Amino acid sequence: DTAVSQTPKYLVTQMGNDKSIKCEQNLGHDTMYWYKQDSKKFLKIMFSYNNKELIINETVPNRFSPKSPDKAHLNLHINSLELGDSAVYFCASSQGANYNEQFFGPGTRLTVL
Amino acid sequence: DQQVKQNSPSLSVQEGRISILNCDYTNSMFDYFLWYKKYPAEGPTFLISISSIKDKNEDGRFTVFLNKSAKHLSLHIVPSQPGDSAVYFCAAQDSNYQLIWGAGTKLIIKP
């Protein structure tokens, strides 16, 4: 009964491929996030959805497209993967957009070869 | 430009002693600060937070101090335990309720 779950945990793929990472939260939260942890270990916000509506969209290539079928799910689809996309991607959720305590998933380590 | 800086990539402390992790920020408009703890292969977990209107918040062995004039906060862990070995992230909330993160400090508790 993991609060925030992500699949897969590891993803190894070739350049140019399209892949998806799924995220689900069972906390009843309204807001979900995608973060990228880069090689320097900084966590950088990519997207935030509140009740299935996009509220934060940082400067991210449009090859990255989030999809929120319902407020418990926020999936990340990446087209035409590049070497620089290799990173750990974290999904998180919070009670609402104005709630600063965020609950994180275990991360997905993406390796693009 | 990093708005939240954790200048020590790692810190080693003897079990039972005090661990002090530091964090500096540049944006005086940040109004809320949080510390997260992260074990390998897991996501960060919330530890403790402090509002900008306070200068101290305590929760068990964990105390966070905020010095607004110096734009500095610190996390004190007393006494340090082996299970405290982890990476600690400092994060600041901006006016859009977005969290800005530091790069983390790896804390190693020696027996």
Side-chain angles (χ1 to χ4, degrees), chain B residues 26-63:
Chain B
T26 57
N27 189 341
S28 57
M29 298 304 291
F30 288 150
D31 58 4
Y32 209 85
F33 303 89
L34 303 92
W35 284 94
Y36 278 77
K37 176 179 180 180
K38 184 185 179 304
Y39 291 119
E42 295 183 14
T45 54
F46 172 75
L47 192 57
I48 192 169
S49 62
I50 188 166
S51 164
S52 60
I53 62 173
K54 294 188 174 183
D55 56 16
K56 178 182 174 181
N57 187 26
E58 191 172 351
D59 183 3
R61 296 185 299 114
F62 302 92
T63 304

Side-chain angles (χ1 to χ4, degrees), chain B residues 40-107:
Chain B
E42 295 183 14
T45 54
F46 172 75
L47 192 57
I48 192 169
S49 62
I50 188 166
S51 164
S52 60
I53 62 173
K54 294 188 174 183
D55 56 16
K56 178 182 174 181
N57 187 26
E58 191 172 351
D59 183 3
R61 296 185 299 114
F62 302 92
T63 304
V64 57
F65 295 93
L66 175 62
N67 182 334
K68 283 189 67 177
S69 59
K71 295 194 184 71
H72 176 85
L73 65 156
S74 60
L75 173 68
H76 293 213
I77 307 174
V78 180
S80 299
Q81 298 175 354
D84 296 330
S85 294
V87 176
Y88 289 79
F89 288 97
C90 170
Q93 179 183 270
D94 68 13
S95 54
N96 294 318
Y97 297 97
Q98 193 170 318
L99 291 184
I100 312 298
W101 297 75
T105 296
K106 183 175 184 178
L107 176 64

Side-chain angles (χ1 to χ4, degrees), chain A residues 24-108:
Chain A
E24 176 181 1
Q25 53 95 3
N26 62 8
L27 297 166
H29 287 168
D30 286 339
T31 308
M32 296 185 72
Y33 311 81
W34 274 109
Y35 284 89
K36 179 180 180 181
Q37 186 178 31
D38 61 24
S39 56
K40 293 184 180 178
K41 304 303 180 188
F42 284 100
L43 275 162
K44 294 187 179 175
I45 185 78
M46 299 174 70
F47 301 102
S48 173
Y49 271 70
N50 189 58
N51 273 319
K52 303 194 299 173
E53 298 291 325
L54 179 67
I55 55 171
I56 293 174
N57 183 0
E58 289 299 303
T59 307
V60 175
N62 56 16
R63 298 180 295 105
F64 290 78
S65 53
K67 291 278 189 329
S68 182
D70 54 62
K71 72 174 194 178
H73 296 85
L74 182 62
N75 303 323
L76 184 65
H77 188 75
I78 316 170
N79 287 330
S80 304
L81 278 155
E82 299 177 357
L83 293 176
D85 297 333
S86 295
V88 181
Y89 292 84
F90 288 99
C91 175
S93 72
S94 64
Q95 276 189 321
N98 299 347
Y99 285 81
N100 39 53
E101 183 180 343
Q102 297 176 13
F103 294 77
F104 282 79
T108 295

